[in-house]
């Protein structure tokens, strides 16, 4: 919690994560996660134990804790990229709560299409697909007309200072910072009700960091619930309403 | 939404070797499902059993509620001409090499009932363009095409009748990496555009990650793990899946 205290307006949340006002857009209930490494003699590594986190619409919660405490693991569990050992991840989707940990694959994909966005640290895309299309695709998947989606993608890429000359190129040869901005545009374009951000400003310069801070503020005003990992404490203190502590687990059982 | 195809309790043994050991599977409209596993794991056998090309010793395969293995050869061939498509690993198995490129595409349309020559040729031309083959080569024989072009022609031939369910057996196997990427992009775009259900057998984990919504991991004739593609690959639970994922070279 030491670093977290440096930020001015942020209140660490209650252990139960009960600070959220109103009905949460996303919440976990007794979420636990172990990894069993069968190739290393079946060693078990516990990472998360009984995590209870709730985030309301329009709220931004920053995950805090030292490296290796399990912040990224928690994010991946929230997105359904990792399964849970026990407990639940409830996402308000289509007027009801869906448990990402137990929903079938088709339902998880529907939640990801309409409700739950994730900006990871790495851009993983099909070779040959141009940047602008990568950003437009989630919009088209939700039914936006192609020309409208492409226009919106171009506008957001431009706002993130990615020159128009690059929009028609696949991002494989882009720099790390450029790829991250493609990833951010893809994550922010659809206006998901819940958005997960894993180090969204890690390889950005000051100007682009400002753009991301503004995008987060706008998303919050639009009612998006945001959960983020921010190593950049200055950015974190400007966007986060509170911190949620992810404590390292003790040694493997 | 109800399943397009539903298989359960599939058993098929070759002597003492279990090619399929109690396999169950569902595929829904618009869904891309990858079947991965090492050679001899039973994945191609599963594809052939689901497509009615081989009969299981036990278990059932239902397509739209009909039992695929009880419906008789004529009905099954009818499905292959209309509702289904099969893309073979070797395009030579799916193409007629002594018939022109346009003829290969047009033939399937004719088998599905098209009769007007002008329309058939126009549609064949359109499909060659969609799979990025120069329409000027419509009258050339597939033998004069590269492997990647032949594979794209096979895809055009398969998709021209707009099937609802497509079986693909290692469609990118044996192709140059650059050609693979182009083919993956093409398959992905067509699948999204046409809303196809696809069952794709591959040992290419990276291709499966990019194409498939859902993944089944097979070993010794059994499905050892299945689920959301990225969860199976990033948080594998079964020892064999962990081995498979950890053996892939990162590009």
């Amino acid at each position: 919690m030491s670093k977290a205290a440096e930020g001015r307006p942020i209140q660490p949340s209650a252990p139960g994560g009960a600070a959220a006002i109103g009905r949460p857009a996303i919440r976990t209930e007794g979420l636990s996660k172990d990894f069993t490494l069968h190739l290393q003699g079946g060693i078990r590594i516990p990472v998360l134990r009984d995590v209870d986190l709730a985030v309301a619409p329009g709220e931004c919660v920053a995950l805090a804790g030292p490296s290796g405490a399990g912040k990224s693991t928690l994010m991946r569990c929230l997105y359904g990229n990792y399964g849970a050992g026990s407990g639940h991840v409830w996402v308000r989707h289509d007027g009801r709560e869906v448990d990402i940990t137990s929903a079938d694959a088709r339902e998880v994909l529907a939640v990801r299409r309409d409700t739950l966005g994730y900006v990871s640290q790495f851009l993983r895309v099909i070779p040959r697909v141009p940047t602008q299309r990568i950003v437009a695709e989630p919009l088209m998947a939700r039914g936006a007309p192609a020309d409208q989606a492409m226009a919106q993608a171009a506008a957001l890429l431009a706002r993130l200072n990615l020159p128009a000359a690059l929009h028609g190129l696949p991002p494989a040869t882009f720099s790390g910072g450029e790829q991250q901005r493609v990833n951010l545009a893809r994550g922010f374009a659809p206006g998901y009700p819940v958005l997960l951000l894993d180090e969204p400003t890690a390889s950005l310069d000051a100007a682009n960091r400002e753009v991301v801070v503004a995008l987060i503020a706008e998303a919050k005003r639009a009612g998006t619930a945001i959960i983020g990992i921010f190593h950049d404490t200055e950015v974190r203190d400007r966007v986060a309403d509170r911190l949620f502590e992810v404590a390292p687990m003790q040694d493997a059982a | 939404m109800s399943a397009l195809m539903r298989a359960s309790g599939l058993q098929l043994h070759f002597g003492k070797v279990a090619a399929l050991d109690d396999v169950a599977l569902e595929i829904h409209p618009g869904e891309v499902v990858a079947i991965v596993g090492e050679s001899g794991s039973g994945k191609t056998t599963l594809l052939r059993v689901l497509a009615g090309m081989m009969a299981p010793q036990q278990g059932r395969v239902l397509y739209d509620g009909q039992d695929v293995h009880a419906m008789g050869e004529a009905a099954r061939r009818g499905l292959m001409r209309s509702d289904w498509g099969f893309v073979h690993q070797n395009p030579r198995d799916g193409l007629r090499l002594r018939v022109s490129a346009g003829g290969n595409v047009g033939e399937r349309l004719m088998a599905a009932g098209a009769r007007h020559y002008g329309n058939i040729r126009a549609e064949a031309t359109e499909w060659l363009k969609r799979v990025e083959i120069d329409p000027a080569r419509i009258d050339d024989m597939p033998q004069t095409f590269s492997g990647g072009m032949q594979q794209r022609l096979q895809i055009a031939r398969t998709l021209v009748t707009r099937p609802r369910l497509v079986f693909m057996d290692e469609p990118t196997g044996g192709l140059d990496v650059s050609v693979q990427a182009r083919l993956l992009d093409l398959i992905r775009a067509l699948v999204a555009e046409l809303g196809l259900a696809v069952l794709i057998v591959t040992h290419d984990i990276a291709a499966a990650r990019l194409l498939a919504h859902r993944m089944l991991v097979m070993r010794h004739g059994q499905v050892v793990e299945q689920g959301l593609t990225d969860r199976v690959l990033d948080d594998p639970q079964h020892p064999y899946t962990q081995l498979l994922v950890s053996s892939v070279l990162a590009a």
Side-chain angles (χ1 to χ4, degrees), chain A residues 33 35-39 76 80-83 100-101 105-106 108-109 112 124-129 137, chain B residues 26 28 31 132 181-182 185 188 209-210 213-214 227-228 230-231 234-235 237-239 242-243 246:
Chain A
K33 176 68 182 168
F35 291 98
T36 303
L37 307 181
H38 292 291
L39 305 183
R76 285 167 175 261
N81 176 229
Y82 287 173
I100 291 291
T101 65
R106 283 176 297 278
V108 173
L109 291 172
R112 288 180 181 179
R124 175 135 46 195
V125 290
I126 291 217
R128 292 214 323 160
V129 180
E137 262 172 7
Chain B
E26 273 187 9
H28 291 246
E31 193 177 33
E132 304 175 19
R182 187 174 183 188
D185 181 24
R188 203 188 57 126
R209 182 192 280 276
L210 294 176
H213 301 120
R214 216 148 48 81
L228 197 64
D230 63 88
R231 193 182 300 176
D234 293 337
D235 189 17
Q237 302 296 308
H238 191 276
Q242 293 190 355
L243 177 65
S246 68

Side-chain angles (χ1 to χ4, degrees), chain A residues 89-102:
Chain A
V89 174
W90 297 101
V91 176
R92 185 153 289 283
H93 166 75
D94 205 11
R96 68 209 158 88
E97 283 193 313
V98 175
D99 181 5
I100 291 291
T101 65
S102 63

Side-chain angles (χ1 to χ4, degrees), chain B residues 87-101:
Chain B
V87 176
H88 297 265
Q89 171 170 12
N90 186 340
R92 289 157 186 272
D93 295 335
L95 292 173
R96 293 225 291 150
L97 296 178
R98 294 172 188 284
V99 172
S100 70

Side-chain angles (χ1 to χ4, degrees), chain B residues 168-225:
Chain B
M168 296 188 179
D169 188 6
E170 302 276 10
T172 59
L175 298 176
D176 288 345
V177 177
S178 61
V179 179
Q180 280 184 20
R182 187 174 183 188
L183 201 64
L184 285 177
D185 181 24
L186 177 73
I187 292 171
R188 203 188 57 126
L190 290 172
V191 164
E193 185 190 327
L194 302 175
L196 306 171
V198 179
L199 208 53
I200 181 170
V201 159
T202 181
H203 62 256
D204 183 344
I205 304 280
R209 182 192 280 276
L210 294 176
L211 281 179
H213 301 120
R214 216 148 48 81
M215 176 177 280
L216 280 78
V217 182
M218 286 193 73
R219 191 186 199 203
H220 300 332
Q222 294 177 325
V223 176
V224 297
E225 185 159 359

Side-chain angles (χ1 to χ4, degrees), chain A:
Chain A
M1 194 78 269
S2 57
K3 277 187 182 168
E6 292 165 15
R8 283 170 292 100
I10 304 174
Q11 297 294 314
S13 58
I21 315 132
R23 281 202 302 197
I26 183 168
R27 66 188 173 92
T28 68
E29 203 181 328
L31 181 67
S32 299
K33 176 68 182 168
D34 296 344
F35 291 98
T36 303
L37 307 181
H38 292 291
L39 305 183
Q40 271 83 43
I43 184 175
R44 269 186 65 223
I45 302 176
V47 179
L48 302 173
R49 186 67 66 231
D50 287 326
V51 174
D52 291 305
L53 164 68
V55 184
E59 188 184 29
C60 177
V61 172
L63 303 184
S67 282
K71 301 189 293 294
S72 285
T73 295
L74 175 55
M75 292 286 255
R76 285 167 175 261
C77 287
L78 297 177
Y79 194 59
N81 176 229
Y82 287 173
S86 60
H88 308 276
V89 174
W90 297 101
V91 176
R92 185 153 289 283
H93 166 75
D94 205 11
R96 68 209 158 88
E97 283 193 313
V98 175
D99 181 5
I100 291 291
T101 65
S102 63
D104 72 26
R106 283 176 297 278
E107 192 160 32
V108 173
L109 291 172
V111 170
R112 288 180 181 179
R113 183 189 62 220
D114 295 332
T115 304
L116 183 61
Y118 175 43
V119 178
S120 69
Q121 293 188 63
F122 305 101
L123 183 63
R124 175 135 46 195
V125 290
I126 291 217
R128 292 214 323 160
V129 180
T131 295
Q132 193 177 350
R133 193 166 177 92
I134 288 169
V135 177
E137 262 172 7
L139 297 164
M140 290 189 277
R142 307 163 114 214
D147 52 347
Q148 189 189 311
M150 291 294 271
Q152 205 182 326
L156 195 49
L157 286 166
R159 191 170 167 198
L160 283 155
N161 300 305
L162 208 77
L166 298 182
H167 296 187
L169 303 177
T173 56
F174 290 6
S175 73
E178 284 165 346
Q179 291 196 3
Q180 187 169 31
R181 282 178 275 150
V182 176
N183 227 358
L184 284 159
R186 183 178 161 95
F188 275 95
Y192 297 107
V194 181
L195 191 54
L196 310 174
L197 304 173
D198 193 348
E199 299 280 10
T201 58
S203 37
L204 300 186
D205 60 24
N208 284 307
R209 222 161 36 227
E210 286 306 311
V211 177
V212 173
V213 169
L215 285 172
I216 292 173
E218 285 165 29
K220 285 169 66 177
R221 277 199 298 279
T224 298
I226 295 175
I227 299 173
I229 299 173
F230 306 94
H231 268 166
D232 183 334
T233 47
E234 191 223 315
V235 167
R236 184 189 73 191
D237 294 353
R238 286 169 65 193
V239 300
D241 299 296
R242 62 190 167 96
L243 299 181
F244 182 85
E245 184 77 8
V246 181
M249 294 287 297
Q250 297 309 306
D251 296 331

Side-chain angles (χ1 to χ4, degrees), chain B residues 55-233:
Chain B
Q57 286 154 343
Q58 279 181 53
R60 289 209 304 171
V61 179
L62 298 179
Y63 173 76
D64 243 356
Q66 298 170 275
D67 189 326
V68 168
H69 295 280
M71 67 173 55
E73 189 56 28
R76 214 154 42 229
R77 282 224 297 271
L79 273 182
M80 253 320 169
R81 275 197 304 272
S82 56
D83 277 33
W84 293 358
F86 200 105
V87 176
H88 297 265
Q89 171 170 12
N90 186 340
R92 289 157 186 272
D93 295 335
L95 292 173
R96 293 225 291 150
L97 296 178
R98 294 172 188 284
V99 172
S100 70
N104 263 286
V105 179
E107 193 176 53
R108 217 169 114 94
L109 275 175
M110 282 163 66
R115 287 292 174 263
H116 187 282
Y117 177 78
N119 290 351
I120 292 171
R121 192 168 170 91
E123 179 121 29
T125 305
E126 183 54 38
W127 268 93
L128 291 183
K129 282 191 221 158
R130 286 174 91 163
V131 299
E132 304 175 19
I133 293 174
D134 182 353
R137 302 205 56 180
I138 188 167
D139 295 317
D140 292 352
M141 297 294 155
Q143 280 149 319
T144 66
F145 288 5
S146 69
M149 278 172 78
Q150 287 182 356
Q151 195 56 293
R152 280 178 277 136
L153 181 61
Q154 189 190 188
I155 287 170
R157 175 182 161 96
T158 307
L159 299 188
V160 65
T161 53
R162 298 182 176 265
R164 298 166 70 198
L165 175 59
V166 179
F167 303 94
M168 296 188 179
D169 188 6
E170 302 276 10
T172 59
L175 298 176
D176 288 345
V177 177
S178 61
V179 179
Q180 280 184 20
R182 187 174 183 188
L183 201 64
L184 285 177
D185 181 24
L186 177 73
I187 292 171
R188 203 188 57 126
L190 290 172
V191 164
E193 185 190 327
L194 302 175
L196 306 171
V198 179
L199 208 53
I200 181 170
V201 159
T202 181
H203 62 256
D204 183 344
I205 304 280
R209 182 192 280 276
L210 294 176
L211 281 179
H213 301 120
R214 216 148 48 81
M215 176 177 280
L216 280 78
V217 182
M218 286 193 73
R219 191 186 199 203
H220 300 332
Q222 294 177 325
V223 176
V224 297
E225 185 159 359
Q226 61 175 310
L228 197 64
T229 298
D230 63 88
R231 193 182 300 176
V232 170
L233 293 180

